Amino acid sequence: QSVLTQPPSASGTPGQRVTISCSGSSSNIGSNTVNWYQQLPGTAPKLLIYSNNQRPSGVPDRFSGSKSGTSASLAISGLQSEDEADYYCAAWDDSLNGHWVFGGGTKLTVL
Amino acid sequence: QVQLQESGPGLVKPSQTLSLTCTVSGGSISSGSYYWSWIRQPAGKGLEWIGRIYTSGSTNYNPSLKSRVTISVDTSKNQFSLKLSSVTAADTAVYYCAREGGIAVAGTTYNWFDPWGQGTLVTVSS
């Protein structure tokens, strides 16, 4: 059972916009920023969004992030086949001397 | 740019200690204000943060693993290491090392994991 809650799956057709939610609590998302990671099949996770809504260099602007209260969202517009991957949210949790927590991951399927 | 590479035994017997090393290349492990983390992923499951070390040697561990985890750093070799004791089959996973960096704004630090190593599979089995 992950501390951050994500839907296990999401899907969309090419060109569509999809959103993935991430729900937490006051000790993690409510107090700290959220990062998103993309994990393509058979590879290591890669930073996709940091500090709620910032894109690292090289990440297309089709990817965007937002946060409100104790929840965050990742939006992917203009869906492409290469976006098919697992997506994880993460946040620092201030409880128990502090530790990182992840969502359980959302598998995105491009139909 | 900085790259990380995990290394260590791929098979560990139950009750023994899992030991992995992460070698940092393309930059000094001591430079900058970075933490160095270990994260694992059982097959078909999500990510679990294990712990981190700062170059000063200070550490933070996942509360659920704290009693079994030790993370250390060897700045002379540009490496940091993970030891996980009393392993069971539940510790079978791909283990990743990652650099944790970020920015400080108005006294608050915002961090993230980037880059990651490619990961190494550790199987716990007799």
Side-chain angles (χ1 to χ4, degrees), chain B residues 65-96:
Chain B
L65 298 169
K66 185 176 183 178
S67 64
R68 298 194 292 131
V69 175
T70 302
I71 296 176
S72 58
V73 63
D74 187 336
T75 55
S76 67
K77 294 183 178 178
N78 232 31
Q79 296 174 334
F80 63 106
S81 298
L82 167 70
K83 290 189 186 301
L84 181 65
S85 63
S86 305
V87 296
T88 68
D91 295 309
T92 294
V94 174
Y95 285 75
Y96 296 101

Side-chain angles (χ1 to χ4, degrees), chain B residues 103-110:
Chain B
I103 56 174
V105 177
T108 300
T109 303
Y110 305 99

Side-chain angles (χ1 to χ4, degrees), chain A residues 33 35 37 39 44 88 99-100, chain B residues 41 96 100 110-111 113 117:
Chain A
T33 57
N35 305 317
Y37 300 91
Q39 186 174 34
Y88 294 91
H99 57 286
W100 282 100
Chain B
Q41 184 175 36
Y96 296 101
E100 180 188 333
Y110 305 99
N111 283 354
F113 298 116

Side-chain angles (χ1 to χ4, degrees), chain B:
Chain B
Q1 76 257 25
V2 170
Q3 293 183 310
L4 289 76
Q5 177 70 58
E6 306 87 351
S7 60
L11 181 64
V12 181
K13 289 181 167 48
S15 79
Q16 293 192 342
T17 296
L18 178 161
S19 295
L20 294 174
T21 295
C22 181
T23 300
V24 179
S25 59
S28 171
I29 200 170
S30 301
S31 67
S33 301
Y34 297 113
Y35 288 93
W36 304 90
S37 277
W38 287 97
I39 298 156
R40 69 180 182 179
Q41 184 175 36
K45 296 188 178 181
L47 300 166
E48 179 180 36
W49 181 73
I50 299 170
R52 69 181 187 182
I53 189 165
Y54 196 61
T55 48
S56 65
S58 67
T59 54
N60 299 95
Y61 297 132
N62 187 322
S64 67
L65 298 169
K66 185 176 183 178
S67 64
R68 298 194 292 131
V69 175
T70 302
I71 296 176
S72 58
V73 63
D74 187 336
T75 55
S76 67
K77 294 183 178 178
N78 232 31
Q79 296 174 334
F80 63 106
S81 298
L82 167 70
K83 290 189 186 301
L84 181 65
S85 63
S86 305
V87 296
T88 68
D91 295 309
T92 294
V94 174
Y95 285 75
Y96 296 101
C97 57
R99 185 182 71 176
E100 180 188 333
I103 56 174
V105 177
T108 300
T109 303
Y110 305 99
N111 283 354
W112 52 85
F113 298 116
D114 182 57
W116 297 57
Q118 67 183 31
T120 187
L121 174 62
V122 178
T123 301
V124 178
S125 174
S126 55

